[in-house]
Amino acid sequence: MTVRTRRGVAASLLSAALVGAQAADVEWDGTTYLRVPVRLGSDTRLVMPEPFDDAWEHDEEISATLLDAHTLIIRPRTDKVEQRLTLRGRSSGTLYLARVSSALPYTPLVTVHSPEAVEGTAGSGVLTVTALLRAMMLHAVPPGFRVEKSTRVLLDQPPYRVVAEQLWQSFGQAGVIARITSTLPQRSVPIVPANIQIQIPQLGALRAMAADDYELNPSQTSSRVYIVYGR
């Protein structure tokens, strides 16, 4: 009788531990990557705090479907997956950056919570990368930034042509709003930020890039893009 009781307690503890391992609650602070684990043969359910648009670096590695306006079901097609996922909140304009990886401890459910305002500044008072991206998307110039018009060609290499429209600059930080156009207007061309490395040394290191739309096609041959640099 005692042995059964101990086994029962052990089973209960193990069951509780497994239940706890099956879900992860994440508080999005605008400064770090969301950790989204995946495993071949399994689904990961990513629940966001608001409806969103998503953009993948490598579509061929992932099957992603919407369960509802807030929930993305992710299933890897390969054993090893390591890539970034960009999600843009439709309600707040918040840009969420996620790391989707098969190397992370697997949990089938990741629920993201977000404060009502994800403006975000670093300890020095400098805007976070996502906060500056969001400000440019909303055309809301933060204090301390000056804005200059530009027509500089940043990239002219098929399948892309990128021309700057505005330069946002403050001490130690800079942002560029540009127009990206397909040089192959009769084809669908994905915009993959990781593959578009526009280096401008005088502005600092390239920190991030985002776009209003992540695919160019015959019906939409251009999109606005946002690039952040920092020292």
Side-chain angles (χ1 to χ4, degrees), residues 87-143:
L87 304 111
R88 185 183 182 190
R90 293 181 180 178
S91 301
S92 69
T94 298
L95 196 73
Y96 305 89
L97 304 178
R99 175 196 173 199
V100 179
S101 175
S102 55
L104 294 170
Y106 178 70
T107 57
L109 176 62
V110 178
T111 303
V112 180
H113 305 278
S114 177
E116 291 185 6
V118 186
E119 294 298 337
T121 58
S124 61
V126 174
L127 284 177
T128 63
V129 169
T130 50
L132 181 50
L133 280 172
R134 183 188 180 197
M136 290 192 294
M137 288 176 174
L138 297 176
H139 296 280
V141 182

Side-chain angles (χ1 to χ4, degrees), residues 52-70:
F52 57 88
D53 296 304
D54 61 297
W56 294 88
E57 285 188 320
H58 307 290
D59 287 341
E60 70 278 4
E61 294 182 357
I62 291 289
S63 170
T65 56
L66 283 174
L67 178 64
D68 55 48
H70 291 254

Side-chain angles (χ1 to χ4, degrees), residues 106-184:
Y106 178 70
T107 57
L109 176 62
V110 178
T111 303
V112 180
H113 305 278
S114 177
E116 291 185 6
V118 186
E119 294 298 337
T121 58
S124 61
V126 174
L127 284 177
T128 63
V129 169
T130 50
L132 181 50
L133 280 172
R134 183 188 180 197
M136 290 192 294
M137 288 176 174
L138 297 176
H139 296 280
V141 182
F145 276 78
R146 66 179 186 276
V147 178
E148 301 173 5
K149 291 185 178 181
S150 176
T151 57
R152 178 178 174 180
V153 177
L154 304 178
L155 178 68
D156 195 359
Q157 181 177 339
Y160 309 113
R161 177 178 170 85
V162 182
V163 180
E165 295 179 340
Q166 292 183 352
L167 169 63
W168 294 31
Q169 198 164 10
S170 72
F171 181 75
Q173 281 184 297
V176 176
I177 299 178
R179 173 68 58 176
I180 185 169
T181 305
S182 172
T183 62
L184 305 172

Side-chain angles (χ1 to χ4, degrees), residues 18-39:
L18 288 175
V19 170
Q22 288 178 352
D25 285 271
V26 181
E27 186 74 22
W28 172 243
D29 61 5
T31 63
T32 57
Y33 280 92
L34 299 172
R35 294 159 60 91
V36 182
V38 292
R39 185 173 66 189

